[in-house]
Amino acid sequence: MTKPRRKPKTTYHAFLVAPAPGFTPSNWQQNPDYYKVIQYLGPKFFRGQADAWKFLHNHEKQNQGSIDAWAIYLDDLDTQAAQTGSTLSNQALLALTRSNLAATQDN
């Protein structure tokens, strides 16, 4: 008898970003292709929490018509989790965002 596999624990890192000019989302779920990180708001520990936070922020901004700060989150799997192509790209983006954020805080 085998044990069922557990899904690896995922942490979602929340950011406020300034999208590149011309970003016009059709819904709160869209992420800008290019952006500058304004603020790192810390981890969200399950997807429902991250989605609810993103919805509340982006839905309000979209209704106001001012998209100067947009909410996004990136997932970060535990290091012992199996690595897939999409996970590696998310982790690379998260690492790049963290290093850019550290560089801006040093200045």
Side-chain angles (χ1 to χ4, degrees):
M1 177 178 258
T2 61
K3 293 182 180 180
R5 294 181 183 217
R6 288 187 173 175
K7 183 178 175 183
K9 181 182 174 188
T10 304
T11 302
Y12 301 92
H13 296 276
F15 296 90
L16 286 181
V17 299
F23 175 64
T24 54
S26 60
N27 63 41
W28 63 272
Q29 295 173 315
Q30 288 185 303
N31 287 339
D33 291 330
Y34 302 99
Y35 54 84
K36 178 181 177 185
V37 174
I38 299 172
Q39 186 178 9
Y40 172 65
L41 297 172
K44 307 290 183 189
F45 295 104
F46 56 96
R47 187 174 187 140
Q49 181 184 27
D51 276 338
W53 167 79
K54 183 176 176 180
F55 171 79
L56 290 174
H57 184 275
N58 292 348
H59 193 267
E60 178 183 344
K61 290 292 183 181
Q62 194 171 14
N63 286 342
Q64 293 174 354
S66 65
I67 303 177
D68 53 342
W70 195 251
I72 65 168
Y73 63 82
L74 303 173
D75 59 332
D76 183 22
L77 295 177
D78 280 349
T79 55
Q80 295 178 359
Q83 301 288 321
T84 64
S86 63
T87 303
L88 289 175
S89 65
N90 281 347
Q91 287 182 340
L93 182 57
L94 181 58
L96 179 62
T97 305
R98 284 179 178 166
S99 66
N100 288 342
L101 185 60
T104 58
Q105 288 177 346
D106 288 343
N107 293 334

